Amino acid sequence: AESRAPQYKSLKEATRDFERDYIQTIIDNTANLQAAAEVLGISFSTLCRKKADLGIQKHLHSSSSNTQA
């Protein structure tokens, strides 16, 4: 039992996890992606790219999303 130190993530992994969680929170609490991008201080296209790269859903907890087919 030599490895008694806690298992840490690399800074890159921790930063990615934080960025994903933070962007998801902002998306969930803004009216649309354009508003989320403005809050985050990034362009709409950058937000769309980050969403794709990080696997972020549009509105994870939205109750007003259109689900009609």
Side-chain angles (χ1 to χ4, degrees):
E2 290 182 24
S3 60
R4 298 183 68 192
Q7 294 298 313
Y8 294 110
K9 296 177 182 179
S10 69
L11 180 58
K12 185 175 184 176
E13 290 172 314
T15 300
R16 181 180 171 90
D17 287 351
F18 171 80
E19 188 173 28
R20 183 183 58 246
D21 293 346
Y22 189 70
I23 291 172
Q24 183 70 69
T25 297
I26 299 302
I27 289 172
D28 288 347
N29 290 284
T30 50
N32 54 50
L33 293 177
Q34 184 63 49
E38 290 174 18
V39 168
L40 292 165
I42 59 178
S43 68
F44 179 77
S45 59
T46 297
L47 178 56
C48 291
R49 181 178 48 79
K50 287 184 175 291
K51 278 181 67 248
D53 291 348
L54 297 169
I56 295 171
Q57 303 300 312
K58 184 175 181 188
H59 283 283
L60 191 63
H61 305 294
S62 177
S63 59
S64 62
S65 62
N66 274 338
T67 55
Q68 296 176 353

XYZ file of all heavy atoms in Angstrom:
536
model
N 0.830 -1.191 0.000
C 0.000 0.000 0.000
C 0.871 1.248 0.000
O 0.787 2.080 0.882
C -0.932 -0.007 1.198
N 1.737 1.348 -1.006
C 2.630 2.492 -1.093
C 1.924 3.719 -1.657
O 2.284 4.829 -1.321
C 3.844 2.157 -1.963
C 4.787 1.166 -1.304
C 5.983 0.902 -2.190
O 6.305 1.756 -3.022
O 6.588 -0.166 -2.044
N 0.922 3.529 -2.513
C 0.263 4.664 -3.156
C -0.869 5.184 -2.266
O -2.033 4.937 -2.514
C -0.267 4.270 -4.531
O -1.193 3.214 -4.387
N -0.492 5.897 -1.205
C -1.477 6.429 -0.271
C -1.931 7.830 -0.681
O -2.877 8.350 -0.119
C -0.887 6.475 1.134
C -0.516 5.076 1.640
C 0.001 5.125 3.036
N -1.095 5.489 3.941
C -0.947 5.845 5.209
N 0.268 5.907 5.726
N -1.986 6.143 5.960
N -1.251 8.418 -1.643
C -1.628 9.756 -2.105
C -2.939 9.677 -2.876
O -3.193 8.700 -3.575
C -0.533 10.329 -2.995
N -3.771 10.706 -2.741
C -5.025 10.717 -3.490
C -4.756 10.723 -4.992
O -3.727 11.210 -5.439
C -5.712 12.011 -3.062
C -4.822 12.685 -2.110
C -3.595 11.875 -1.911
N -5.692 10.178 -5.742
C -5.557 10.167 -7.193
C -5.999 11.510 -7.741
O -7.164 11.874 -7.634
C -6.407 9.032 -7.789
C -5.918 7.652 -7.410
C -4.513 7.381 -7.931
O -4.216 7.638 -9.092
N -3.653 6.878 -7.066
N -5.074 12.228 -8.301
C -5.359 13.532 -8.882
C -5.452 13.431 -10.389
O -4.820 12.585 -11.000
C -4.268 14.544 -8.524
C -4.203 14.871 -7.059
C -3.147 14.445 -6.286
C -5.218 15.617 -6.458
C -3.083 14.754 -4.928
C -5.160 15.927 -5.113
C -4.088 15.496 -4.355
O -4.036 15.801 -3.024
N -6.217 14.352 -10.961
C -6.263 14.474 -12.411
C -5.130 15.394 -12.828
O -4.661 16.210 -12.041
C -7.590 15.120 -12.852
C -8.803 14.312 -12.534
C -10.043 15.092 -12.948
C -11.293 14.317 -12.592
N -12.512 15.052 -12.952
N -4.737 15.287 -14.089
C -3.778 16.252 -14.608
C -4.466 17.611 -14.682
O -5.702 17.699 -14.674
C -3.300 15.838 -16.000
O -4.355 15.976 -16.941
N -3.691 18.657 -14.763
C -4.257 19.999 -14.881
C -5.113 20.090 -16.144
O -6.182 20.697 -16.129
C -3.144 21.051 -14.911
C -3.609 22.504 -15.028
C -4.533 22.874 -13.867
C -2.413 23.432 -15.087
N -4.669 19.456 -17.213
C -5.422 19.480 -18.462
C -6.793 18.828 -18.281
O -7.822 19.358 -18.731
C -4.624 18.767 -19.559
C -5.259 18.839 -20.922
C -4.341 18.226 -21.965
C -4.932 18.369 -23.354
N -4.015 17.872 -24.383
N -6.829 17.671 -17.623
C -8.101 16.978 -17.373
C -9.004 17.796 -16.452
O -10.209 17.909 -16.694
C -7.855 15.608 -16.741
C -7.231 14.597 -17.664
C -6.845 13.326 -16.915
O -6.249 13.417 -15.823
O -7.161 12.238 -17.430
N -8.438 18.352 -15.393
C -9.221 19.135 -14.444
C -9.782 20.387 -15.109
O -10.940 20.759 -14.886
C -8.361 19.511 -13.237
N -8.971 21.027 -15.942
C -9.413 22.230 -16.656
C -10.538 21.884 -17.623
O -11.536 22.604 -17.706
C -8.230 22.862 -17.412
O -7.217 23.207 -16.471
C -8.658 24.108 -18.167
N -10.396 20.778 -18.336
C -11.435 20.344 -19.280
C -12.744 20.055 -18.539
O -13.821 20.463 -18.977
C -10.955 19.111 -20.041
C -11.948 18.588 -21.062
C -11.389 17.360 -21.773
N -12.390 16.714 -22.587
C -12.613 17.002 -23.860
N -11.905 17.937 -24.462
N -13.540 16.357 -24.531
N -12.657 19.364 -17.406
C -13.853 19.047 -16.621
C -14.526 20.322 -16.122
O -15.754 20.453 -16.179
C -13.505 18.157 -15.426
C -13.185 16.721 -15.830
O -13.402 16.360 -17.009
O -12.713 15.977 -14.955
N -13.711 21.261 -15.612
C -14.272 22.517 -15.129
C -14.932 23.285 -16.265
O -16.053 23.786 -16.126
C -13.199 23.393 -14.477
C -13.711 24.776 -14.158
C -14.473 24.987 -13.019
C -13.488 25.842 -15.015
C -14.982 26.250 -12.736
C -14.005 27.099 -14.741
C -14.750 27.307 -13.597
N -14.244 23.369 -17.403
C -14.768 24.118 -18.540
C -16.095 23.515 -19.009
O -17.060 24.244 -19.249
C -13.748 24.110 -19.681
C -14.112 25.013 -20.829
C -13.009 25.124 -21.866
O -12.216 24.174 -22.011
O -12.945 26.165 -22.537
N -16.151 22.194 -19.106
C -17.389 21.529 -19.521
C -18.521 21.819 -18.536
O -19.614 22.202 -18.945
C -17.171 20.011 -19.635
C -18.407 19.261 -20.135
C -18.202 17.752 -20.178
N -17.837 17.254 -18.861
C -16.657 16.715 -18.549
N -15.711 16.576 -19.436
N -16.425 16.307 -17.323
N -18.266 21.660 -17.250
C -19.298 21.877 -16.235
C -19.739 23.341 -16.193
O -20.933 23.630 -16.055
C -18.804 21.443 -14.851
C -18.585 19.944 -14.745
O -19.057 19.190 -15.631
O -17.935 19.519 -13.771
N -18.785 24.260 -16.304
C -19.110 25.682 -16.231
C -19.916 26.121 -17.445
O -20.933 26.811 -17.303
C -17.832 26.513 -16.106
C -18.120 27.969 -15.814
C -18.630 28.358 -14.585
C -17.891 28.947 -16.780
C -18.917 29.683 -14.316
C -18.171 30.280 -16.513
C -18.682 30.645 -15.287
O -18.967 31.957 -15.014
N -19.494 25.701 -18.634
C -20.233 26.060 -19.844
C -21.637 25.476 -19.788
O -22.613 26.151 -20.130
C -19.479 25.609 -21.109
C -18.209 26.453 -21.289
C -20.371 25.712 -22.349
C -17.283 25.962 -22.397
N -21.771 24.219 -19.332
C -23.099 23.606 -19.224
C -23.978 24.410 -18.274
O -25.153 24.654 -18.560
C -22.988 22.161 -18.736
C -24.329 21.439 -18.668
C -24.897 21.156 -20.050
O -24.371 20.350 -20.772
N -25.977 21.831 -20.403
N -23.427 24.851 -17.148
C -24.187 25.646 -16.184
C -24.664 26.952 -16.807
O -25.834 27.332 -16.639
C -23.328 25.937 -14.934
O -23.016 24.695 -14.295
C -24.075 26.828 -13.949
N -23.784 27.625 -17.531
C -24.164 28.890 -18.166
C -25.238 28.648 -19.222
O -26.231 29.378 -19.293
C -22.939 29.597 -18.781
C -21.899 29.941 -17.703
C -23.370 30.849 -19.558
C -22.408 30.817 -16.577
N -25.092 27.617 -20.031
C -26.094 27.298 -21.058
C -27.441 27.023 -20.400
O -28.488 27.487 -20.872
C -25.642 26.108 -21.924
C -24.479 26.530 -22.829
C -26.802 25.551 -22.751
C -23.836 25.377 -23.580
N -27.418 26.272 -19.312
C -28.662 25.926 -18.616
C -29.359 27.144 -18.013
O -30.557 27.097 -17.753
C -28.392 24.911 -17.496
C -28.061 23.530 -18.011
O -28.279 23.275 -19.218
O -27.581 22.706 -17.218
N -28.606 28.215 -17.778
C -29.156 29.370 -17.080
C -29.260 30.623 -17.943
O -29.446 31.720 -17.411
C -28.331 29.647 -15.819
C -28.548 28.579 -14.774
O -29.576 28.569 -14.111
N -27.620 27.661 -14.651
N -29.150 30.452 -19.251
C -29.344 31.568 -20.174
C -30.412 31.185 -21.188
O -30.722 30.002 -21.357
C -28.033 31.953 -20.896
O -27.438 30.781 -21.448
C -27.048 32.621 -19.950
N -30.956 32.196 -21.858
C -32.084 31.976 -22.767
C -31.698 31.182 -24.008
O -32.492 30.389 -24.518
C -32.677 33.321 -23.176
N -30.470 31.389 -24.487
C -30.046 30.709 -25.711
C -28.526 30.698 -25.777
O -27.851 31.258 -24.910
C -30.667 31.391 -26.942
C -30.370 32.877 -26.979
O -29.229 33.307 -26.837
N -31.415 33.684 -27.145
N -28.000 30.063 -26.819
C -26.545 29.931 -26.928
C -25.854 31.267 -27.166
O -24.736 31.471 -26.712
C -26.183 28.943 -28.043
C -26.576 27.491 -27.776
C -26.225 26.624 -28.972
C -25.897 26.965 -26.519
N -26.508 32.181 -27.882
C -25.910 33.501 -28.097
C -25.741 34.230 -26.769
O -24.691 34.815 -26.503
C -26.766 34.336 -29.052
C -26.145 35.677 -29.392
C -24.814 35.552 -30.126
O -24.709 34.806 -31.091
N -23.799 36.253 -29.647
N -26.762 34.156 -25.911
C -26.670 34.779 -24.589
C -25.592 34.103 -23.751
O -24.840 34.774 -23.029
C -28.018 34.714 -23.876
N -25.497 32.785 -23.840
C -24.469 32.058 -23.096
C -23.077 32.486 -23.550
O -22.185 32.710 -22.725
C -24.650 30.547 -23.278
N -22.880 32.616 -24.855
C -21.584 33.043 -25.384
C -21.219 34.429 -24.859
O -20.067 34.678 -24.482
C -21.613 33.032 -26.913
N -22.204 35.330 -24.811
C -21.951 36.684 -24.305
C -21.545 36.654 -22.842
O -20.601 37.344 -22.431
C -23.180 37.561 -24.513
C -23.438 37.884 -25.972
C -24.738 38.646 -26.203
O -25.274 39.221 -25.226
O -25.201 38.654 -27.350
N -22.244 35.851 -22.038
C -21.897 35.729 -20.615
C -20.479 35.190 -20.459
O -19.704 35.656 -19.619
C -22.904 34.811 -19.878
C -22.406 34.442 -18.490
C -24.271 35.478 -19.795
N -20.131 34.203 -21.284
C -18.820 33.567 -21.197
C -17.708 34.428 -21.784
O -16.526 34.146 -21.570
C -18.862 32.208 -21.919
C -19.725 31.144 -21.238
C -20.007 29.998 -22.196
C -19.057 30.636 -19.972
N -18.077 35.458 -22.548
C -17.059 36.319 -23.154
C -16.365 35.676 -24.332
O -15.193 35.960 -24.605
N -17.086 34.780 -25.035
C -16.541 34.116 -26.219
C -17.532 34.287 -27.364
O -18.690 34.623 -27.147
C -16.249 32.616 -25.984
C -17.526 31.865 -25.581
C -15.153 32.449 -24.925
C -17.328 30.363 -25.375
N -17.074 34.046 -28.572
C -17.968 34.179 -29.716
C -18.918 32.987 -29.771
O -18.666 31.926 -29.192
C -17.164 34.244 -31.013
O -16.547 32.997 -31.277
N -20.015 33.192 -30.494
C -20.991 32.116 -30.681
C -20.331 30.907 -31.334
O -20.557 29.761 -30.921
C -22.154 32.631 -31.536
C -23.202 31.594 -31.809
C -24.128 31.246 -30.849
C -23.254 30.967 -33.050
C -25.098 30.288 -31.103
C -24.226 30.010 -33.312
C -25.145 29.669 -32.341
N -19.489 31.135 -32.344
C -18.846 30.019 -33.038
C -17.881 29.271 -32.116
O -17.779 28.043 -32.178
C -18.129 30.487 -34.310
O -17.142 31.444 -33.994
N -17.197 29.997 -31.243
C -16.301 29.344 -30.275
C -17.108 28.490 -29.306
O -16.711 27.364 -28.988
C -15.461 30.388 -29.517
O -14.629 31.076 -30.450
C -14.600 29.735 -28.441
N -18.253 29.010 -28.863
C -19.102 28.235 -27.968
C -19.578 26.956 -28.657
O -19.549 25.876 -28.060
C -20.296 29.059 -27.490
C -21.293 28.326 -26.585
C -20.612 27.734 -25.353
C -22.430 29.248 -26.187
N -19.995 27.070 -29.906
C -20.451 25.883 -30.644
C -19.330 24.854 -30.778
O -19.554 23.651 -30.620
C -20.982 26.284 -32.017
S -22.533 27.205 -31.935
N -18.113 25.326 -31.050
C -16.970 24.411 -31.167
C -16.671 23.752 -29.827
O -16.461 22.532 -29.749
C -15.744 25.158 -31.677
C -14.525 24.271 -31.839
C -13.328 25.010 -32.401
N -13.061 26.279 -31.745
C -12.449 26.396 -30.564
N -12.068 25.317 -29.891
N -12.227 27.588 -30.042
N -16.687 24.532 -28.750
C -16.416 23.973 -27.426
C -17.491 22.961 -27.031
O -17.190 21.936 -26.427
C -16.301 25.082 -26.376
C -15.015 25.875 -26.481
C -14.897 26.886 -25.366
C -13.566 27.587 -25.398
N -12.445 26.702 -25.049
N -18.757 23.273 -27.357
C -19.841 22.325 -27.075
C -19.555 20.985 -27.739
O -19.702 19.934 -27.117
C -21.179 22.864 -27.598
C -21.860 23.856 -26.692
C -23.184 24.310 -27.293
C -24.176 23.180 -27.334
N -24.579 22.644 -28.575
N -19.169 21.025 -28.993
C -18.888 19.789 -29.724
C -17.672 19.073 -29.143
O -17.703 17.858 -28.918
C -18.675 20.101 -31.207
N -16.607 19.821 -28.878
C -15.365 19.234 -28.359
C -15.554 18.610 -26.980
O -14.942 17.581 -26.666
C -14.261 20.296 -28.266
C -13.775 20.764 -29.631
O -14.115 20.132 -30.651
O -13.059 21.788 -29.670
N -16.390 19.245 -26.151
C -16.558 18.806 -24.764
C -17.779 17.904 -24.560
O -18.012 17.418 -23.462
C -16.661 20.030 -23.838
C -15.425 20.931 -23.794
C -15.742 22.237 -23.079
C -14.262 20.220 -23.121
N -18.575 17.702 -25.611
C -19.753 16.849 -25.502
C -20.861 17.460 -24.673
O -21.536 16.762 -23.911
N -21.071 18.756 -24.815
C -22.070 19.470 -24.028
C -23.417 19.441 -24.740
O -23.492 19.661 -25.945
C -21.619 20.927 -23.802
C -20.346 20.946 -22.940
C -22.729 21.754 -23.164
C -19.700 22.307 -22.829
N -24.458 19.197 -23.961
C -25.821 19.238 -24.488
C -26.292 20.682 -24.555
O -25.802 21.528 -23.814
C -26.769 18.440 -23.584
C -26.361 17.003 -23.386
C -26.313 16.227 -24.685
O -27.232 16.284 -25.476
N -25.219 15.521 -24.901
N -27.273 20.963 -25.401
C -27.750 22.344 -25.527
C -28.328 22.847 -24.218
O -27.857 23.799 -23.650
C -28.780 22.476 -26.644
C -29.203 23.918 -26.844
C -30.128 24.104 -28.011
C -30.489 25.583 -28.143
N -31.520 25.821 -29.127
N -29.384 22.202 -23.735
C -30.004 22.590 -22.465
C -30.264 21.317 -21.677
O -31.248 20.638 -21.910
C -31.317 23.354 -22.683
C -31.114 24.770 -23.085
N -30.760 25.756 -22.193
C -31.198 25.379 -24.291
C -30.644 26.913 -22.835
N -30.892 26.706 -24.103
N -29.391 21.003 -20.767
C -29.490 19.758 -20.008
C -30.730 19.735 -19.127
O -31.411 18.741 -19.028
C -28.234 19.586 -19.149
C -28.029 18.233 -18.489
C -27.855 17.156 -19.555
C -26.815 18.252 -17.593
N -31.047 20.855 -18.508
C -32.148 20.895 -17.546
C -33.284 21.803 -17.989
O -34.053 22.269 -17.180
C -31.633 21.367 -16.181
C -30.503 20.546 -15.664
N -30.633 19.233 -15.311
C -29.198 20.851 -15.473
C -29.464 18.768 -14.910
N -28.584 19.726 -15.008
N -33.352 22.066 -19.277
C -34.363 23.005 -19.760
C -35.734 22.367 -19.787
O -35.916 21.258 -20.263
C -33.993 23.486 -21.158
O -34.995 24.325 -21.659
N -36.723 23.114 -19.299
C -38.087 22.625 -19.336
C -38.854 23.271 -20.475
O -40.002 22.938 -20.738
C -38.802 22.928 -18.006
O -38.794 24.322 -17.783
N -38.231 24.192 -21.182
C -38.905 24.910 -22.252
C -38.397 24.530 -23.634
O -38.626 25.222 -24.593
C -38.739 26.423 -22.051
O -37.373 26.757 -22.113
N -37.686 23.401 -23.723
C -37.149 23.008 -25.022
C -38.262 22.427 -25.904
O -39.198 21.815 -25.430
C -36.033 21.974 -24.835
O -36.547 20.816 -24.219
N -38.135 22.654 -27.176
C -39.098 22.121 -28.131
C -38.779 20.659 -28.412
O -37.698 20.348 -28.902
C -39.058 22.913 -29.456
C -39.936 24.135 -29.407
O -40.864 24.193 -28.604
N -39.640 25.101 -30.245
N -39.739 19.792 -28.131
C -39.524 18.368 -28.365
C -40.532 17.839 -29.372
O -40.736 16.645 -29.478
C -39.621 17.564 -27.045
O -40.882 17.851 -26.445
C -38.499 17.929 -26.109
N -41.172 18.747 -30.086
C -42.156 18.313 -31.070
C -41.452 17.776 -32.305
O -40.439 18.313 -32.723
C -43.053 19.493 -31.477
C -43.882 20.005 -30.334
C -44.682 21.236 -30.742
O -44.506 21.760 -31.818
N -45.571 21.673 -29.864
N -42.033 16.727 -32.890
C -41.432 16.140 -34.077
C -42.104 16.697 -35.330
O -43.246 17.010 -35.331
C -41.595 14.629 -34.051
